[in-house]
Amino acid sequence: MRPKRRRLYFVLAGMSALAVAVALALAAFEDNLVFFNSPTDVYAKEVPQDRRFRLGGLVEEESVAKSADGLTTTFRVTDLNRAVPVAYTGILPDLFREGQGIVADGHLNADGTFVADNVLAKHDENYMPPEVAEALKKSGKWKGGSE
């Protein structure tokens, strides 16, 4: 084998190894990505079940209910266009209440309920999670400050 051909094979093998490494890294990266969706996005995009994502919006008025066991709380998250039912088992943040912005991590189950693993509530009366504020702006329902 001539040296020029040997170098060509060496470069091709190196590029192939690099392509496989990049493909594996991108696959692992995509599995760990958590996207944000508003309730309107959930209905528009048909988010696959068991795919983790963040759901953000306002807790709909008069939608919060506790189950008989006292641990599971159900409520609806809305962007004032659409609403998604949410079930959360655990202790909710102290600032969680109706009409306030939240971001929940979890997945959709078969009946369209968002099963939350974690619920984050705003930390003061002027703060709105940026994703929630953006979703409300898109829906045309933003009642925020100067923006």
Side-chain angles (χ1 to χ4, degrees):
M1 185 180 300
R2 296 188 341 202
K4 188 174 183 179
R5 181 166 290 231
R6 191 175 349 171
R7 274 188 301 224
L8 176 65
Y9 288 141
F10 181 74
V11 169
L12 288 176
M15 290 178 71
S16 297
L18 182 64
V20 168
V22 168
L24 290 173
L26 288 176
F29 184 67
E30 185 174 322
D31 288 344
N32 292 322
L33 284 178
V34 178
F35 294 102
F36 175 83
N37 289 297
S38 68
T40 300
D41 293 340
V42 170
Y43 286 104
K45 293 180 185 174
E46 296 183 14
V47 178
Q49 294 177 9
D50 298 328
R51 171 88 179 165
R52 291 189 53 78
F53 67 95
R54 287 183 162 190
L55 176 68
L58 304 174
V59 178
E60 194 172 73
E61 299 286 337
E62 300 178 7
S63 68
V64 179
K66 285 248 182 207
S67 67
D69 64 4
L71 293 176
T72 302
T73 304
T74 58
F75 53 94
R76 296 176 63 83
V77 172
T78 182
D79 61 358
L80 304 176
N81 280 334
R82 302 294 300 256
V84 173
V86 177
Y88 175 71
T89 301
I91 299 172
L92 288 166
D94 291 338
L95 298 173
F96 176 88
R97 60 183 176 264
E98 295 176 350
Q100 297 298 318
I102 66 153
V103 174
D105 293 332
H107 64 278
L108 282 177
N109 66 11
D111 67 357
T113 300
F114 185 80
V115 179
D117 302 328
N118 190 18
V119 174
L120 305 171
K122 69 176 197 165
H123 55 77
D124 75 17
E125 64 188 38
N126 296 321
Y127 177 77
M128 178 71 69
E131 297 95 348
V132 174
E134 186 64 32
L136 291 174
K137 286 178 187 175
K138 281 184 186 176
S139 72
K141 308 288 183 177
W142 176 248
K143 295 178 184 174
S146 60
E147 294 183 47

